Amino acid sequence: MQRLRISSFILSLLIICSARSQVAVDVRVDSLQFFIGEQTDITLSVSLDKGQKLELPNLRKGSEIIPDIEVIEVKRPDTTFLNEGKRLEIQQKYTITAWDSSFYYLPPFEVKVDGKEYKSKTLALKVYTVDVDTLHLDKFFPPYGIMEPPFAWEDWKLVVLAAFAMLLAALGAFVLYYHVLTGKPIVRIIRRKKKLPPHKVAIDEIERIKSERKWTDEDSKEYYTELTDALRKYIQERYGFNALEMTSSEIIEHLLEVSDEEGLRELRELFVTADLVKFAKYVTQINENDANLVAAVEFINNTKVEADPNAAAEPEIIRETDTKRENEVRWMRVAMVVLGLASISLAAFVVWRALDIIM
């Protein structure tokens, strides 16, 4: 009795171990009959225990199972877990086609599980030929030649708009680069005002010198320097030669060409006195300084030319401060980089889109 129980126990263990290590291989085809060139799928299923190593048949795209039966595609294996994950079912699909009409026997598919070979059943396929009506050949036409697709504005509209935006961005980047390189502002503020005539500017300057009463000082060098500078600027504007860079005698010589000696007598005395004060430390009297100032005013009044009241106002460019200019240049550089990157991106998009349409 005891031996019977032991034998039954051992037999149960063998049955359980045999069931656990059982490997099942099955194969099926979606369609047993098809025409030449058509495709069908073969599904290879393998059931095995978890942890066992499986090797599937070495079939690749373009290989043949048997002559005239070609593998078109090898799909990814699909794994299903069974018995709460203790067993696996792996399915491998092969898409095949046939290139000749015939009746085909497919040999068993061989797999290896832990190095041991297992085989599936055989398959039979029937491949039919395509019937051709040889009596009515006029119904068959040769293939059409290659036709160019018609131009469609809808396909190119986005490309044209992107190309236009690219050109604008590139132009903007170039303009900003030019202004940054040359230091010229993008916007220049210009205010128009009437230019004062030379005699008016000179009289106003002399009035300023008179109000400061510098001729009362013992050292009247500054007084005569400002007075002669005002006269030199007036003469330069009035007669058109560079009086600011000339000596007193040179100025008188040029003035003699348009005036007489008597008319320039007092002006000559003024310049001589000014040279003595500036270079020889000559000390003048107050009445002498006053007389020279009057002589300068009389010379201006005698030689002045009234301005045309209908003359157009001359433009005056308003200069920016250094800080404001630096901020403007900084923002121009930032905008230049942004526009440059935008133009490059748009150019890449235009090329990609155009090639996509053409190809």
Side-chain angles (χ1 to χ4, degrees), residues 101-117:
S101 60
S102 182
F103 190 81
Y104 297 96
Y105 283 100
L106 301 185
F109 286 82
E110 295 183 359
V111 300
K112 288 184 179 181
V113 179
D114 292 337
K116 185 178 179 180
E117 291 187 356

Side-chain angles (χ1 to χ4, degrees), residues 160-173:
V160 173
L161 292 177
F164 183 71
M166 176 199 68
L167 292 176
L168 289 180
L171 180 61

Side-chain angles (χ1 to χ4, degrees), residues 296-307:
V297 173
E298 288 182 353
F299 171 76
I300 294 172
N301 289 330
N302 292 333
T303 58
K304 68 181 180 179
V305 177
E306 295 292 342

Side-chain angles (χ1 to χ4, degrees), residues 150-161:
F151 177 81
W153 167 246
E154 292 297 326
D155 296 337
W156 290 94
K157 180 168 64 175
L158 188 59
V159 177
V160 173
L161 292 177

